[in-house]
């Protein structure tokens, strides 16, 4: 059933795809959905300076973007990489991938993060870290859509980390989405929007070990289904002190700065602070 729905979304022009996604977002907003409750809690925590009306407006805009993210999944996964690339209206910063040092793509859950690796892999090999799904059937389907051509996936475990390290040694690109709770192992509490959040340490560790260049990469979702703007921007995640907490805090700060540019396009329906608060 899920595959059928995603296939339907894949054949729709992006404008109509996002129109339906917006409708899903409105439904999530006007009902007492789980997504609305989580988004509301996160917005309340991270944007306390907004008054009640402003927070409600941001919650609604966020859920609309959440709906678009759901509908566009079919559009991205069930179309070819070359077809995906046609939706990129402009790319800024490709020159930053040229480096004598290994390059790590820091890809926050912002905009259409799924399209980033697919498009970049058309010109260079990329290995992306991901967390496997519990359902083996869904996992097999997802891998078949994600792992194609020069894009390969590495599981978020010891085996996957070895795969990432090998890719860096060959100076292939690796991509990591470091802004989700990594669980008890592999994480450290670091500030994010002035609240502690369990944050992945792997990216910072790999960057320091390999003297790697870190390039923040995101695809901003344009209005009215006009496509995406792909951005690549070098950032510093390595502190002068060499302290891991300071490294991870720098990483979170960079992500926070990006999120503030268009906060509604961030994944606020994820329980980002679940290690320290109750949702």
């Amino acid at each position: 059933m899920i595959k059928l729905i995603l296939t339907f979304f894949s054949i729709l022009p992006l404008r109509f795809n996002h129109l339906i996604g917006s409708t899903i977002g409105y439904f999530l907003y006007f009902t007492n959905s789980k997504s609305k409750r989580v988004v509301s809690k996160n917005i309340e925590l991270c944007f306390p300076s907004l008054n009640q009306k402003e927070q409600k407006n941001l919650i609604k805009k966020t859920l609309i973007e959440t709906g678009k993210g759901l509908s566009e999944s079919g559009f991205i996964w069930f179309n070819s990489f070359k077809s995906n690339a046609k939706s990129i209206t402009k790319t800024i910063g490709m020159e930053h991938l040229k480096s004598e040092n290994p390059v790590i793509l820091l890809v926050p859950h912002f905009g259409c993060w799924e399209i980033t690796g697919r498009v970049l892999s058309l010109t260079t090999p990329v290995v992306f870290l991901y967390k496997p799904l519990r359902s083996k059937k869904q996992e097999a389907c997802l891998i078949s859509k994600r792992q194609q051509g020069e894009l390969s996936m590495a599981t978020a475990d010891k085996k996957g980390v070895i795969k990432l390290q090998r890719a860096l040694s060959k100076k292939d690109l690796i991509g990591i989405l470091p802004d989700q709770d990594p669980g008890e192992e592999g994480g450290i509490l670091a500030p994010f929007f002035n609240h502690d959040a369990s944050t992945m340490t792997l990216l910072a560790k790999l960057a320091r070990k390999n003297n790697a260049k870190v390039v923040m990469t995101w695809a901003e979702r344009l209005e009215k289904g006009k496509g995406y703007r792909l951005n690549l921007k070098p950032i510093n995640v390595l502190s002068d002190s060499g302290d891991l907490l300071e490294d991870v805090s720098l990483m979170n700060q960079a992500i926070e700065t990006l999120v503030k540019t268009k906060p509604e396009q961030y994944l606020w329906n994820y329980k980002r602070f679940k290690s320290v608060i109750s949702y």
Side-chain angles (χ1 to χ4, degrees), residues 43-244:
I43 296 300
E44 179 186 342
L45 283 171
C46 298
F47 297 93
S49 62
L50 297 181
N51 60 40
Q52 190 174 34
K53 182 178 179 180
E54 290 170 333
Q55 286 190 1
K56 284 185 177 181
N57 185 51
L58 180 54
I59 291 167
K60 180 169 69 175
K61 290 169 68 176
T62 297
L63 288 168
I64 289 172
E65 295 300 317
T66 299
K68 292 179 184 179
L70 292 171
S71 61
E72 76 187 3
S73 295
F75 183 83
I76 301 300
W77 291 340
F78 284 74
N79 283 309
S80 69
F81 288 17
K82 289 184 178 179
S83 176
N84 290 164
K86 293 178 182 178
S87 299
I88 302 294
T89 62
K90 187 176 183 179
T91 301
I92 303 170
M94 280 291 285
E95 67 274 11
H96 298 307
L97 297 183
K98 298 179 181 178
S99 173
E100 294 181 357
N101 298 333
V103 175
I104 299 175
L105 304 176
L106 190 164
V107 185
H109 286 84
F110 180 92
C112 183
W113 58 86
E114 284 282 351
I115 203 172
T116 56
R118 299 169 77 91
V119 171
L120 292 177
S121 71
L122 291 172
T123 57
T124 184
V126 189
V127 180
F128 257 77
L129 186 72
Y130 84 106
K131 185 177 181 179
L133 300 177
R134 292 181 180 179
S135 168
K136 291 185 178 180
K137 187 176 180 180
Q138 292 179 4
E139 168 75 1
C141 177
L142 188 59
I143 284 295
S144 72
K145 300 303 179 184
R146 280 178 166 173
Q147 189 163 265
Q148 301 178 44
E150 295 293 337
L151 176 61
S152 60
M153 309 304 295
T155 50
D157 52 25
K158 186 176 181 180
K159 184 178 179 180
V161 173
I162 292 173
K163 187 174 182 177
L164 292 179
Q165 182 57 62
R166 286 175 178 169
L168 287 173
S169 298
K170 295 190 297 181
K171 292 194 175 178
D172 289 343
L173 291 179
I174 71 166
I176 299 178
L177 290 80
D179 52 342
Q180 287 194 334
D181 193 313
E184 294 182 6
E185 296 183 5
I188 188 173
L189 288 179
F192 185 60
F193 280 89
N194 297 317
H195 295 279
D196 281 341
S198 181
T199 307
M200 178 191 294
T201 59
L202 178 61
L203 187 146
K205 287 180 177 178
L206 287 175
R208 188 170 291 281
K209 178 180 179 180
N210 296 276
N211 192 27
K213 180 179 182 180
V214 178
V215 179
M216 182 175 284
T217 309
W218 71 98
E220 178 187 342
R221 188 179 296 118
L222 303 179
E223 295 182 354
K224 299 180 180 178
K226 292 181 180 179
Y228 309 92
R229 184 181 295 114
L230 182 61
N231 300 270
L232 300 98
K233 180 182 179 182
I235 61 168
N236 178 36
V237 301
L238 300 181
S239 62
D240 293 336
S241 68
D243 180 73
L244 183 59

Side-chain angles (χ1 to χ4, degrees), residues 110 218 256-264:
F110 180 92
W218 71 98
E256 182 178 327
T257 298
L258 171 62
V259 172
K260 287 179 179 178
T261 63
K262 282 192 174 294
E264 65 273 16

Side-chain angles (χ1 to χ4, degrees), residues 29-40:
Y29 178 73
F30 287 110
T31 59
N32 190 30
S33 65
K34 179 181 177 181
S35 288
K36 182 180 180 181
R37 294 195 297 272
V38 175
V39 168
S40 299

